[in-house]
Every structure is written in structure tokens, then in C-alpha cells.
Amino acid sequence: MEALKKQLVQVQQYVSQLKSSCLARQRWMPCCQISTRPGWGGAFSLSCSAPGNVVVKEYYAELPIAVKVTGSYHDIGLFAADIANLSRIVTLNNISLEPVKDRDGILTMNCTAKTFRYLDQEEIEQQQSATAKKGAKP
């Protein structure tokens, strides 16, 4: 039994560490934390709009951010790789690639970057209250 208790403590510490490293605690996280690399083509540009409507789930919230990246196919791949290497969980959704008129080899990628954050205790209680009220409708 003692070995299981120690293992439970280790698992709880591991989960706590993952929560703090993978999901943001802030209500808003800037999406454009990717700095431009010196080796990227001169045509590379990145723009992010303000976050969209927050989607609240049971214990976390999704923060969608519209992102537009213009550059070579390789530059866009490097951008996606940098997103994948962030310490926070960020997903790229609804990706579209289009060639830029009159610029050979240059593409524009439009997508929605989603970051995630944990709800604080007050938000969780509000969410549970709202869910309970929906279930209690006459």
C-alpha cells in the first residue's frame, strides 16, 4: 500500500507539472511569440488578430486566434515547426494555402491557432452551475 501511495504522489506531481508547462493560466496568451528567424526568406511575414470568442469546456478554455503567414513553402513549414516546439499546447486549425499573385514561390497560409488554458476554480464553479441549470429546465 505504501508503494502505491508514493506512486500516487509522483503521478499527481507529474500531472501538475504537465498542467503548468502545457496549458496557459493567463486569460489571454499572445499568439505571435514566434520570432522571425534570420534564415527565413525576406518575403516572410506574420500577422495575428486579437483572440476570437473563447470556447469554454468543462475544465479548460480554447482561445482561437486568426493567423496569416506569408512566405515560401519552406518558411511556412518552419513557422509550423516552431509552433509545434512551443512549450504550450497550440494547434493550427482550418489551414488554407494560396499562392500570392505575381510573386513566384510565395504562399499565404491562413489558419486559426488555438491555445488552451485551465479554468480557475471560480470559472469551473460557474461552468458547473450553468450545466446544472440547463439540466433543470422544466
Side-chain angles (χ1 to χ4, degrees), residues 3-138:
L4 290 175
K5 287 181 181 179
K6 286 180 182 178
Q7 191 176 18
L8 176 61
V9 169
Q10 289 175 333
V11 168
Q12 288 171 334
Q13 290 172 341
Y14 180 69
V15 168
S16 178
Q17 180 185 10
L18 285 175
K19 282 181 180 180
S20 66
S21 68
C22 296
L23 297 180
R25 293 209 177 274
Q26 301 94 350
R27 292 193 179 263
W28 182 75
M29 253 182 70
C31 77
C32 295
Q33 295 178 345
I34 305 297
S35 61
T36 55
R37 294 174 181 229
W40 285 2
F44 181 83
S45 69
L46 169 66
S47 65
C48 302
S49 68
N53 294 331
V54 175
V55 179
V56 178
K57 303 290 183 170
E58 189 173 353
Y59 293 99
Y60 67 93
E62 297 177 357
L63 293 88
I65 302 162
V67 177
K68 181 178 180 178
V69 179
T70 302
S72 70
Y73 183 81
H74 182 73
D75 291 338
I76 291 172
L78 289 173
F79 170 78
D82 279 350
I83 291 290
N85 288 321
L86 288 173
S87 61
R88 301 282 186 212
I89 297 174
V90 180
T91 61
L92 298 178
N93 304 274
N94 305 323
I95 297 171
S96 69
L97 281 174
E98 296 179 9
V100 175
K101 254 186 186 176
D102 301 326
R103 294 181 70 191
D104 284 342
I106 302 299
L107 302 169
T108 295
M109 177 181 77
N110 288 296
C111 65
T112 302
K114 287 186 182 179
T115 65
F116 303 86
R117 69 170 178 84
Y118 276 108
L119 302 177
D120 59 31
Q121 191 58 39
E122 182 180 321
E123 290 173 309
I124 292 171
E125 290 167 4
Q126 289 173 352
Q127 184 71 4
Q128 291 170 343
S129 175
T131 302
K133 285 180 185 177
K134 284 182 185 178
K137 286 185 178 179

